[in-house]
Amino acid sequence: MTSTEAPMNDAEVKIVKHKNIKSVLFLFGFAAITSFLLWLSITDEFSLFLIVFTIAFVIITIALFIDVVTKFNIAQKDIQQQIKVIDQFTVIKKHQSKNSGNSYSYYIDFNSEDIKSYEIKKKAFDAINTHDTVEIEYTKYAFWILKIEHNGINIENKFTNQ
């Protein structure tokens, strides 16, 4: 199927705004932890481990800040133009990765340059086969998924915990 562009409805625009706000809040939370570590390393006895740990957090926070600001600006373009892409992707690979403990994350890979992979729940993972088609709607610029279905069943993974 050839991808087509369509206008986003109000609910979809709200989803994009919500995702944008969540990413900024995550950044502020991470920055707060970094600030606390900086304060702790200044007021503590300057233990080498704490200083190295704090420097690592500062570097990660700076990289995260750049990433979030970039994605925020791209998502703002999606909010302003309110255009989504409707497409069908073919599943080219299924794989899982072990997390801590006995939990797993399940992924399907697509034949797409826009969205290469997507994490799904185990139930959807078991129902999908390689070469199956997945119907997907996503924002034009930030590639945020608005809707993803397999055989008419929603497989969106709103939560990463299985």
Side-chain angles (χ1 to χ4, degrees):
M1 175 180 162
T2 305
S3 64
T4 57
E5 293 182 0
M8 283 191 259
N9 62 39
D10 290 341
E12 292 166 334
V13 173
K14 188 175 179 180
I15 289 169
V16 175
K17 287 179 179 178
H18 181 71
K19 287 183 178 190
N20 223 11
I21 290 170
K22 279 176 46 177
S23 65
V24 170
L25 290 176
F26 175 75
L27 175 64
F28 278 117
F30 205 84
I33 292 169
T34 303
S35 299
F36 174 73
L37 287 173
L38 278 171
W39 173 80
L40 198 59
S41 65
I42 291 170
T43 59
D44 196 18
E45 299 172 359
F46 292 102
S47 70
L48 182 59
F49 174 75
L50 184 59
I51 292 171
V52 170
F53 193 70
T54 302
I55 290 170
F57 254 81
V58 168
I59 292 169
I60 291 169
T61 301
I62 291 169
L64 195 60
F65 175 80
I66 293 167
D67 184 56
V68 168
V69 167
T70 302
K71 287 181 180 175
F72 181 86
N73 290 333
I74 293 169
Q76 285 301 110
K77 190 172 183 179
D78 279 326
I79 292 167
Q80 290 168 351
Q81 295 193 7
Q82 299 184 9
I83 298 172
K84 67 181 175 182
V85 177
I86 302 168
D87 206 345
Q88 289 184 346
F89 295 163
T90 301
V91 176
I92 58 172
K93 182 181 174 187
K94 294 172 45 173
H95 55 97
Q96 62 188 32
S97 64
K98 188 168 176 30
N99 300 329
S100 61
N102 289 331
S103 66
Y104 288 86
S105 294
Y106 302 91
Y107 300 91
I108 50 177
D109 295 345
F110 302 117
N111 64 332
S112 167
E113 290 300 314
D114 292 341
I115 300 171
K116 296 181 186 305
S117 184
Y118 187 71
E119 183 178 358
I120 57 176
K121 294 195 180 273
K122 181 166 182 8
K123 183 178 178 182
F125 184 82
D126 292 340
I128 296 173
N129 296 305
T130 305
H131 306 296
D132 281 358
T133 300
V134 173
E135 299 80 30
I136 189 163
E137 296 179 14
Y138 57 95
T139 62
K140 182 176 179 177
Y141 301 104
F143 306 118
W144 282 352
I145 294 176
L146 301 169
K147 180 179 176 183
I148 182 167
E149 294 182 342
H150 174 254
N151 293 334
I153 298 171
N154 183 350
I155 61 168
E156 182 178 6
N157 186 13
K158 294 184 181 181
F159 308 102
T160 55
N161 295 339
Q162 303 300 322

Short mmCIF file of all heavy atoms in Angstrom, two decimals, residues 83-141:
data_model
loop_
_atom_site.label_atom_id
_atom_site.label_comp_id
_atom_site.label_asym_id
_atom_site.label_seq_id
_atom_site.Cartn_x
_atom_site.Cartn_y
_atom_site.Cartn_z
N ILE A 83 -1.01 16.80 10.34
CA ILE A 83 -1.05 15.81 9.25
C ILE A 83 -0.52 14.48 9.77
O ILE A 83 0.50 14.42 10.45
CB ILE A 83 -0.18 16.27 8.05
CG1 ILE A 83 -0.72 17.59 7.48
CG2 ILE A 83 -0.13 15.19 6.98
CD1 ILE A 83 0.18 18.21 6.44
N LYS A 84 -1.24 13.41 9.44
CA LYS A 84 -0.79 12.07 9.79
C LYS A 84 -0.56 11.27 8.52
O LYS A 84 -1.07 11.62 7.45
CB LYS A 84 -1.79 11.37 10.70
CG LYS A 84 -3.12 11.05 10.02
CD LYS A 84 -4.06 10.37 10.99
CE LYS A 84 -5.43 10.15 10.35
NZ LYS A 84 -6.37 9.55 11.28
N VAL A 85 0.20 10.21 8.64
CA VAL A 85 0.47 9.30 7.53
C VAL A 85 -0.25 7.99 7.84
O VAL A 85 -0.16 7.48 8.95
CB VAL A 85 1.99 9.07 7.36
CG1 VAL A 85 2.26 8.06 6.26
CG2 VAL A 85 2.70 10.38 7.08
N ILE A 86 -0.96 7.48 6.86
CA ILE A 86 -1.65 6.20 6.98
C ILE A 86 -0.96 5.22 6.04
O ILE A 86 -0.78 5.52 4.86
CB ILE A 86 -3.14 6.33 6.62
CG1 ILE A 86 -3.81 7.38 7.51
CG2 ILE A 86 -3.84 4.98 6.72
CD1 ILE A 86 -5.20 7.79 7.06
N ASP A 87 -0.54 4.07 6.58
CA ASP A 87 0.25 3.14 5.77
C ASP A 87 0.04 1.72 6.26
O ASP A 87 -0.59 1.48 7.29
CB ASP A 87 1.73 3.52 5.86
CG ASP A 87 2.53 3.08 4.66
OD1 ASP A 87 2.04 2.25 3.86
OD2 ASP A 87 3.66 3.58 4.50
N GLN A 88 0.57 0.78 5.49
CA GLN A 88 0.63 -0.62 5.88
C GLN A 88 2.08 -1.05 5.80
O GLN A 88 2.73 -0.83 4.78
CB GLN A 88 -0.23 -1.49 4.97
CG GLN A 88 -1.70 -1.31 5.16
CD GLN A 88 -2.50 -2.27 4.29
OE1 GLN A 88 -1.98 -2.90 3.37
NE2 GLN A 88 -3.78 -2.40 4.59
N PHE A 89 2.56 -1.64 6.87
CA PHE A 89 3.94 -2.14 6.90
C PHE A 89 3.89 -3.66 6.94
O PHE A 89 2.98 -4.26 7.50
CB PHE A 89 4.68 -1.66 8.15
CG PHE A 89 4.91 -0.18 8.23
CD1 PHE A 89 5.25 0.41 9.44
CD2 PHE A 89 4.80 0.65 7.12
CE1 PHE A 89 5.48 1.76 9.55
CE2 PHE A 89 5.03 2.01 7.21
CZ PHE A 89 5.38 2.56 8.44
N THR A 90 4.92 -4.26 6.37
CA THR A 90 5.09 -5.70 6.44
C THR A 90 6.06 -6.03 7.56
O THR A 90 7.11 -5.39 7.69
CB THR A 90 5.62 -6.26 5.10
OG1 THR A 90 4.70 -5.91 4.06
CG2 THR A 90 5.80 -7.77 5.16
N VAL A 91 5.70 -7.01 8.37
CA VAL A 91 6.59 -7.46 9.46
C VAL A 91 7.69 -8.30 8.83
O VAL A 91 7.42 -9.30 8.17
CB VAL A 91 5.81 -8.28 10.51
CG1 VAL A 91 6.75 -8.82 11.58
CG2 VAL A 91 4.70 -7.45 11.13
N ILE A 92 8.94 -7.86 8.98
CA ILE A 92 10.06 -8.60 8.38
C ILE A 92 10.82 -9.44 9.41
O ILE A 92 11.56 -10.34 9.04
CB ILE A 92 11.04 -7.64 7.65
CG1 ILE A 92 11.58 -6.58 8.58
CG2 ILE A 92 10.36 -7.03 6.43
CD1 ILE A 92 12.70 -5.73 7.98
N LYS A 93 10.59 -9.15 10.71
CA LYS A 93 11.30 -9.90 11.74
C LYS A 93 10.58 -9.72 13.07
O LYS A 93 10.02 -8.67 13.35
CB LYS A 93 12.74 -9.39 11.85
CG LYS A 93 13.60 -10.10 12.85
CD LYS A 93 15.00 -9.50 12.89
CE LYS A 93 15.83 -10.12 13.99
NZ LYS A 93 17.12 -9.43 14.15
N LYS A 94 10.61 -10.76 13.88
CA LYS A 94 10.12 -10.73 15.26
C LYS A 94 11.29 -11.11 16.16
O LYS A 94 12.05 -12.02 15.84
CB LYS A 94 9.00 -11.76 15.47
CG LYS A 94 7.74 -11.50 14.73
CD LYS A 94 6.75 -12.65 14.83
CE LYS A 94 6.57 -13.22 16.22
NZ LYS A 94 5.49 -14.21 16.34
N HIS A 95 11.41 -10.42 17.29
CA HIS A 95 12.46 -10.80 18.24
C HIS A 95 12.08 -10.34 19.63
O HIS A 95 11.23 -9.47 19.82
CB HIS A 95 13.82 -10.25 17.82
CG HIS A 95 13.87 -8.77 17.62
ND1 HIS A 95 14.32 -7.90 18.58
CD2 HIS A 95 13.51 -7.99 16.57
CE1 HIS A 95 14.24 -6.66 18.12
NE2 HIS A 95 13.75 -6.69 16.91
N GLN A 96 12.73 -10.96 20.60
CA GLN A 96 12.49 -10.59 21.99
C GLN A 96 13.82 -10.39 22.67
O GLN A 96 14.84 -10.92 22.24
CB GLN A 96 11.67 -11.66 22.70
CG GLN A 96 12.33 -13.02 22.78
CD GLN A 96 11.40 -14.09 23.33
OE1 GLN A 96 10.21 -14.03 23.14
NE2 GLN A 96 11.96 -15.06 24.02
N SER A 97 13.81 -9.59 23.73
CA SER A 97 15.02 -9.39 24.52
C SER A 97 14.68 -9.56 25.99
O SER A 97 13.59 -9.16 26.43
CB SER A 97 15.64 -8.03 24.24
OG SER A 97 14.77 -7.00 24.66
N LYS A 98 15.60 -10.16 26.71
CA LYS A 98 15.38 -10.42 28.14
C LYS A 98 15.70 -9.16 28.92
O LYS A 98 16.71 -8.52 28.72
CB LYS A 98 16.27 -11.57 28.60
CG LYS A 98 15.99 -12.03 30.01
CD LYS A 98 16.70 -13.33 30.27
CE LYS A 98 16.59 -13.86 31.66
NZ LYS A 98 15.46 -13.61 32.45
N ASN A 99 14.78 -8.81 29.81
CA ASN A 99 14.99 -7.68 30.72
C ASN A 99 15.50 -8.24 32.05
O ASN A 99 15.78 -9.42 32.17
CB ASN A 99 13.67 -6.93 30.92
CG ASN A 99 13.12 -6.39 29.63
OD1 ASN A 99 13.86 -6.05 28.72
ND2 ASN A 99 11.81 -6.34 29.52
N SER A 100 15.56 -7.40 33.04
CA SER A 100 15.97 -7.88 34.36
C SER A 100 14.91 -8.83 34.90
O SER A 100 13.73 -8.73 34.59
CB SER A 100 16.16 -6.69 35.31
OG SER A 100 14.95 -5.99 35.46
N GLY A 101 15.35 -9.78 35.68
CA GLY A 101 14.42 -10.78 36.21
C GLY A 101 14.00 -11.74 35.12
O GLY A 101 14.79 -12.14 34.28
N ASN A 102 12.73 -12.08 35.14
CA ASN A 102 12.21 -13.04 34.15
C ASN A 102 11.33 -12.37 33.11
O ASN A 102 10.55 -13.05 32.44
CB ASN A 102 11.41 -14.14 34.87
CG ASN A 102 12.30 -15.07 35.64
OD1 ASN A 102 13.46 -15.27 35.28
ND2 ASN A 102 11.78 -15.63 36.73
N SER A 103 11.42 -11.07 32.95
CA SER A 103 10.55 -10.38 31.99
C SER A 103 11.26 -10.22 30.64
O SER A 103 12.49 -10.23 30.56
CB SER A 103 10.12 -9.02 32.52
OG SER A 103 11.23 -8.17 32.63
N TYR A 104 10.45 -10.08 29.61
CA TYR A 104 10.95 -9.93 28.25
C TYR A 104 10.28 -8.73 27.58
O TYR A 104 9.17 -8.34 27.94
CB TYR A 104 10.65 -11.18 27.41
CG TYR A 104 11.47 -12.38 27.78
CD1 TYR A 104 11.07 -13.23 28.81
CD2 TYR A 104 12.64 -12.66 27.11
CE1 TYR A 104 11.83 -14.34 29.16
CE2 TYR A 104 13.41 -13.77 27.44
CZ TYR A 104 13.00 -14.60 28.47
OH TYR A 104 13.76 -15.69 28.80
N SER A 105 10.95 -8.18 26.59
CA SER A 105 10.37 -7.18 25.70
C SER A 105 10.24 -7.83 24.33
O SER A 105 11.13 -8.57 23.90
CB SER A 105 11.25 -5.93 25.61
OG SER A 105 11.29 -5.27 26.84
N TYR A 106 9.13 -7.54 23.65
CA TYR A 106 8.83 -8.18 22.37
C TYR A 106 8.76 -7.11 21.28
O TYR A 106 8.11 -6.08 21.45
CB TYR A 106 7.50 -8.94 22.46
CG TYR A 106 7.52 -9.98 23.56
CD1 TYR A 106 7.10 -9.66 24.84
CD2 TYR A 106 7.99 -11.26 23.31
CE1 TYR A 106 7.14 -10.62 25.86
CE2 TYR A 106 8.03 -12.22 24.31
CZ TYR A 106 7.60 -11.88 25.58
OH TYR A 106 7.65 -12.83 26.58
N TYR A 107 9.41 -7.38 20.14
CA TYR A 107 9.51 -6.39 19.07
C TYR A 107 9.14 -7.01 17.73
O TYR A 107 9.39 -8.19 17.48
CB TYR A 107 10.94 -5.85 18.97
CG TYR A 107 11.41 -5.17 20.23
CD1 TYR A 107 12.08 -5.88 21.22
CD2 TYR A 107 11.20 -3.81 20.42
CE1 TYR A 107 12.51 -5.26 22.38
CE2 TYR A 107 11.63 -3.18 21.57
CZ TYR A 107 12.28 -3.91 22.54
OH TYR A 107 12.70 -3.28 23.69
N ILE A 108 8.58 -6.15 16.87
CA ILE A 108 8.42 -6.51 15.46
C ILE A 108 9.14 -5.44 14.64
O ILE A 108 9.12 -4.26 14.98
CB ILE A 108 6.93 -6.61 15.06
CG1 ILE A 108 6.13 -5.37 15.49
CG2 ILE A 108 6.31 -7.87 15.61
CD1 ILE A 108 4.67 -5.37 15.05
N ASP A 109 9.83 -5.88 13.61
CA ASP A 109 10.55 -4.98 12.71
C ASP A 109 9.79 -4.88 11.40
O ASP A 109 9.21 -5.87 10.94
CB ASP A 109 11.97 -5.49 12.44
CG ASP A 109 12.84 -5.50 13.69
OD1 ASP A 109 12.46 -4.87 14.69
OD2 ASP A 109 13.90 -6.16 13.65
N PHE A 110 9.83 -3.68 10.81
CA PHE A 110 9.06 -3.41 9.59
C PHE A 110 9.96 -3.13 8.39
O PHE A 110 11.12 -2.80 8.52
CB PHE A 110 8.17 -2.17 9.80
CG PHE A 110 7.23 -2.27 10.95
CD1 PHE A 110 7.33 -1.42 12.03
CD2 PHE A 110 6.21 -3.22 10.95
CE1 PHE A 110 6.46 -1.50 13.09
CE2 PHE A 110 5.33 -3.31 12.02
CZ PHE A 110 5.45 -2.45 13.09
N ASN A 111 9.35 -3.17 7.23
CA ASN A 111 10.00 -2.82 5.97
C ASN A 111 9.81 -1.33 5.70
O ASN A 111 9.42 -0.93 4.62
CB ASN A 111 9.39 -3.63 4.81
CG ASN A 111 7.91 -3.30 4.60
OD1 ASN A 111 7.20 -2.91 5.51
ND2 ASN A 111 7.46 -3.45 3.36
N SER A 112 10.09 -0.51 6.67
CA SER A 112 9.84 0.93 6.57
C SER A 112 11.08 1.71 6.97
O SER A 112 11.80 1.31 7.87
CB SER A 112 8.67 1.32 7.49
OG SER A 112 8.60 2.71 7.64
N GLU A 113 11.28 2.81 6.30
CA GLU A 113 12.36 3.71 6.68
C GLU A 113 11.92 4.67 7.79
O GLU A 113 12.74 5.17 8.54
CB GLU A 113 12.85 4.52 5.46
CG GLU A 113 13.59 3.68 4.44
CD GLU A 113 14.83 3.02 5.01
OE1 GLU A 113 15.62 3.70 5.71
OE2 GLU A 113 15.02 1.81 4.77
N ASP A 114 10.61 4.93 7.88
CA ASP A 114 10.11 5.87 8.88
C ASP A 114 10.08 5.25 10.28
O ASP A 114 10.55 5.85 11.23
CB ASP A 114 8.70 6.35 8.51
CG ASP A 114 8.69 7.23 7.27
OD1 ASP A 114 9.75 7.75 6.90
OD2 ASP A 114 7.62 7.38 6.67
N ILE A 115 9.51 4.09 10.39
CA ILE A 115 9.42 3.38 11.68
C ILE A 115 9.96 1.98 11.44
O ILE A 115 9.34 1.17 10.76
CB ILE A 115 7.96 3.35 12.19
CG1 ILE A 115 7.45 4.77 12.38
CG2 ILE A 115 7.87 2.54 13.48
CD1 ILE A 115 5.97 4.87 12.67
N LYS A 116 11.10 1.70 12.00
CA LYS A 116 11.79 0.44 11.72
C LYS A 116 11.36 -0.69 12.65
O LYS A 116 11.39 -1.85 12.27
CB LYS A 116 13.29 0.65 11.82
CG LYS A 116 13.83 1.61 10.78
CD LYS A 116 15.33 1.75 10.89
CE LYS A 116 15.90 2.80 9.99
NZ LYS A 116 15.62 2.70 8.62
N SER A 117 10.98 -0.36 13.90
CA SER A 117 10.67 -1.37 14.89
C SER A 117 9.63 -0.84 15.86
O SER A 117 9.49 0.37 16.04
CB SER A 117 11.96 -1.73 15.64
OG SER A 117 11.74 -2.78 16.55
N TYR A 118 8.92 -1.77 16.50
CA TYR A 118 7.90 -1.37 17.47
C TYR A 118 7.80 -2.43 18.55
O TYR A 118 7.77 -3.63 18.26
CB TYR A 118 6.55 -1.19 16.77
CG TYR A 118 5.48 -0.61 17.67
CD1 TYR A 118 5.53 0.71 18.08
CD2 TYR A 118 4.44 -1.40 18.13
CE1 TYR A 118 4.55 1.24 18.91
CE2 TYR A 118 3.45 -0.87 18.95
CZ TYR A 118 3.52 0.45 19.35
OH TYR A 118 2.56 0.97 20.17
N GLU A 119 7.75 -1.99 19.81
CA GLU A 119 7.60 -2.92 20.92
C GLU A 119 6.12 -3.22 21.14
O GLU A 119 5.28 -2.31 21.15
CB GLU A 119 8.18 -2.32 22.21
CG GLU A 119 8.11 -3.27 23.38
CD GLU A 119 8.73 -2.72 24.65
OE1 GLU A 119 9.27 -1.60 24.63
OE2 GLU A 119 8.65 -3.44 25.67
N ILE A 120 5.80 -4.50 21.28
CA ILE A 120 4.41 -4.92 21.48
C ILE A 120 4.32 -5.84 22.70
O ILE A 120 5.34 -6.31 23.21
CB ILE A 120 3.84 -5.64 20.24
CG1 ILE A 120 4.71 -6.85 19.86
CG2 ILE A 120 3.72 -4.68 19.07
CD1 ILE A 120 4.17 -7.67 18.70
N LYS A 121 3.11 -6.11 23.12
CA LYS A 121 2.90 -7.04 24.23
C LYS A 121 3.00 -8.48 23.72
O LYS A 121 2.85 -8.75 22.53
CB LYS A 121 1.54 -6.78 24.88
CG LYS A 121 1.48 -5.42 25.56
CD LYS A 121 0.29 -5.34 26.46
CE LYS A 121 0.23 -3.99 27.15
NZ LYS A 121 0.99 -3.92 28.36
N LYS A 122 3.23 -9.41 24.64
CA LYS A 122 3.43 -10.81 24.27
C LYS A 122 2.23 -11.38 23.51
O LYS A 122 2.41 -12.12 22.55
CB LYS A 122 3.71 -11.65 25.51
CG LYS A 122 3.95 -13.12 25.15
CD LYS A 122 4.55 -13.89 26.27
CE LYS A 122 4.85 -15.34 25.97
NZ LYS A 122 4.73 -15.87 24.66
N LYS A 123 1.02 -11.05 23.92
CA LYS A 123 -0.18 -11.57 23.25
C LYS A 123 -0.18 -11.19 21.77
O LYS A 123 -0.46 -12.03 20.90
CB LYS A 123 -1.43 -11.03 23.95
CG LYS A 123 -2.72 -11.56 23.40
CD LYS A 123 -3.92 -11.02 24.17
CE LYS A 123 -5.21 -11.51 23.58
NZ LYS A 123 -6.37 -10.97 24.28
N ALA A 124 0.15 -9.93 21.46
CA ALA A 124 0.22 -9.50 20.06
C ALA A 124 1.40 -10.16 19.36
O ALA A 124 1.30 -10.56 18.20
CB ALA A 124 0.34 -7.97 20.00
N PHE A 125 2.53 -10.30 20.07
CA PHE A 125 3.72 -10.94 19.51
C PHE A 125 3.41 -12.36 19.05
O PHE A 125 3.83 -12.78 17.96
CB PHE A 125 4.83 -10.94 20.57
CG PHE A 125 6.15 -11.48 20.10
CD1 PHE A 125 7.04 -10.69 19.39
CD2 PHE A 125 6.52 -12.80 20.38
CE1 PHE A 125 8.26 -11.18 18.98
CE2 PHE A 125 7.74 -13.29 19.97
CZ PHE A 125 8.61 -12.48 19.26
N ASP A 126 2.66 -13.09 19.86
CA ASP A 126 2.30 -14.47 19.52
C ASP A 126 1.34 -14.54 18.34
O ASP A 126 1.34 -15.51 17.58
CB ASP A 126 1.69 -15.18 20.73
CG ASP A 126 2.71 -15.41 21.84
OD1 ASP A 126 3.93 -15.39 21.57
OD2 ASP A 126 2.28 -15.60 23.00
N ALA A 127 0.50 -13.51 18.16
CA ALA A 127 -0.51 -13.51 17.09
C ALA A 127 0.05 -13.05 15.74
O ALA A 127 -0.54 -13.34 14.70
CB ALA A 127 -1.68 -12.61 17.49
N ILE A 128 1.18 -12.36 15.75
CA ILE A 128 1.74 -11.81 14.51
C ILE A 128 2.82 -12.73 13.98
O ILE A 128 3.65 -13.24 14.73
CB ILE A 128 2.31 -10.39 14.77
CG1 ILE A 128 1.18 -9.44 15.16
CG2 ILE A 128 3.06 -9.88 13.55
CD1 ILE A 128 1.64 -8.08 15.60
N ASN A 129 2.82 -12.90 12.66
CA ASN A 129 3.84 -13.71 11.99
C ASN A 129 4.66 -12.83 11.05
O ASN A 129 4.20 -11.79 10.61
CB ASN A 129 3.18 -14.84 11.18
CG ASN A 129 2.44 -15.80 12.07
OD1 ASN A 129 3.00 -16.35 13.01
ND2 ASN A 129 1.16 -15.99 11.79
N THR A 130 5.85 -13.30 10.74
CA THR A 130 6.66 -12.63 9.74
C THR A 130 5.87 -12.61 8.43
O THR A 130 5.16 -13.56 8.12
CB THR A 130 7.99 -13.39 9.54
OG1 THR A 130 8.63 -13.50 10.82
CG2 THR A 130 8.93 -12.64 8.61
N HIS A 131 5.96 -11.52 7.69
CA HIS A 131 5.26 -11.26 6.43
C HIS A 131 3.81 -10.83 6.62
O HIS A 131 3.13 -10.58 5.63
CB HIS A 131 5.34 -12.45 5.47
CG HIS A 131 6.73 -12.92 5.21
ND1 HIS A 131 7.68 -12.13 4.59
CD2 HIS A 131 7.36 -14.08 5.51
CE1 HIS A 131 8.82 -12.79 4.52
NE2 HIS A 131 8.66 -13.98 5.08
N ASP A 132 3.33 -10.73 7.88
CA ASP A 132 1.99 -10.18 8.12
C ASP A 132 2.01 -8.68 7.86
O ASP A 132 3.06 -8.04 7.90
CB ASP A 132 1.55 -10.41 9.58
CG ASP A 132 1.05 -11.83 9.83
OD1 ASP A 132 1.02 -12.63 8.87
OD2 ASP A 132 0.71 -12.13 10.99
N THR A 133 0.83 -8.14 7.62
CA THR A 133 0.68 -6.71 7.39
C THR A 133 0.14 -6.04 8.65
O THR A 133 -0.75 -6.58 9.30
CB THR A 133 -0.28 -6.45 6.21
OG1 THR A 133 0.26 -7.08 5.05
CG2 THR A 133 -0.44 -4.98 5.94
N VAL A 134 0.70 -4.89 8.97
CA VAL A 134 0.25 -4.10 10.11
C VAL A 134 -0.20 -2.74 9.57
O VAL A 134 0.51 -2.11 8.80
CB VAL A 134 1.40 -3.92 11.13
CG1 VAL A 134 1.01 -2.96 12.24
CG2 VAL A 134 1.81 -5.26 11.71
N GLU A 135 -1.42 -2.35 9.95
CA GLU A 135 -1.94 -1.03 9.55
C GLU A 135 -1.48 -0.02 10.60
O GLU A 135 -1.62 -0.27 11.80
CB GLU A 135 -3.46 -1.05 9.47
CG GLU A 135 -4.03 -2.02 8.45
CD GLU A 135 -4.08 -3.46 8.94
OE1 GLU A 135 -4.23 -3.67 10.15
OE2 GLU A 135 -3.93 -4.36 8.10
N ILE A 136 -0.98 1.10 10.13
CA ILE A 136 -0.39 2.06 11.06
C ILE A 136 -0.71 3.49 10.65
O ILE A 136 -0.79 3.80 9.46
CB ILE A 136 1.15 1.82 11.14
CG1 ILE A 136 1.79 2.63 12.25
CG2 ILE A 136 1.81 2.06 9.81
CD1 ILE A 136 3.18 2.14 12.62
N GLU A 137 -0.93 4.33 11.65
CA GLU A 137 -1.09 5.77 11.45
C GLU A 137 -0.10 6.46 12.37
O GLU A 137 -0.02 6.12 13.56
CB GLU A 137 -2.52 6.20 11.78
CG GLU A 137 -3.56 5.59 10.86
CD GLU A 137 -4.99 6.02 11.19
OE1 GLU A 137 -5.17 6.98 11.96
OE2 GLU A 137 -5.91 5.38 10.67
N TYR A 138 0.66 7.40 11.82
CA TYR A 138 1.67 8.08 12.62
C TYR A 138 1.82 9.52 12.16
O TYR A 138 1.42 9.88 11.06
CB TYR A 138 3.01 7.34 12.57
CG TYR A 138 3.57 7.13 11.18
CD1 TYR A 138 4.50 8.02 10.64
CD2 TYR A 138 3.19 6.04 10.41
CE1 TYR A 138 5.03 7.83 9.37
CE2 TYR A 138 3.72 5.84 9.14
CZ TYR A 138 4.64 6.74 8.63
OH TYR A 138 5.16 6.54 7.37
N THR A 139 2.41 10.34 13.05
CA THR A 139 2.59 11.75 12.72
C THR A 139 3.63 11.90 11.61
O THR A 139 4.59 11.13 11.54
CB THR A 139 3.01 12.57 13.95
OG1 THR A 139 4.27 12.08 14.43
CG2 THR A 139 1.96 12.49 15.05
N LYS A 140 3.43 12.88 10.78
CA LYS A 140 4.26 13.05 9.58
C LYS A 140 5.72 13.35 9.89
O LYS A 140 6.62 12.85 9.21
CB LYS A 140 3.67 14.17 8.71
CG LYS A 140 4.43 14.38 7.41
CD LYS A 140 3.77 15.43 6.55
CE LYS A 140 4.56 15.63 5.27
NZ LYS A 140 3.92 16.58 4.37
N TYR A 141 5.99 14.16 10.91
CA TYR A 141 7.35 14.62 11.14
C TYR A 141 8.05 13.90 12.30
O TYR A 141 9.21 13.52 12.18
CB TYR A 141 7.37 16.13 11.36
CG TYR A 141 6.80 16.87 10.18
CD1 TYR A 141 5.52 17.41 10.22
CD2 TYR A 141 7.52 16.99 8.99
CE1 TYR A 141 4.98 18.08 9.12
CE2 TYR A 141 6.99 17.63 7.89
CZ TYR A 141 5.73 18.18 7.96
OH TYR A 141 5.19 18.81 6.88
#
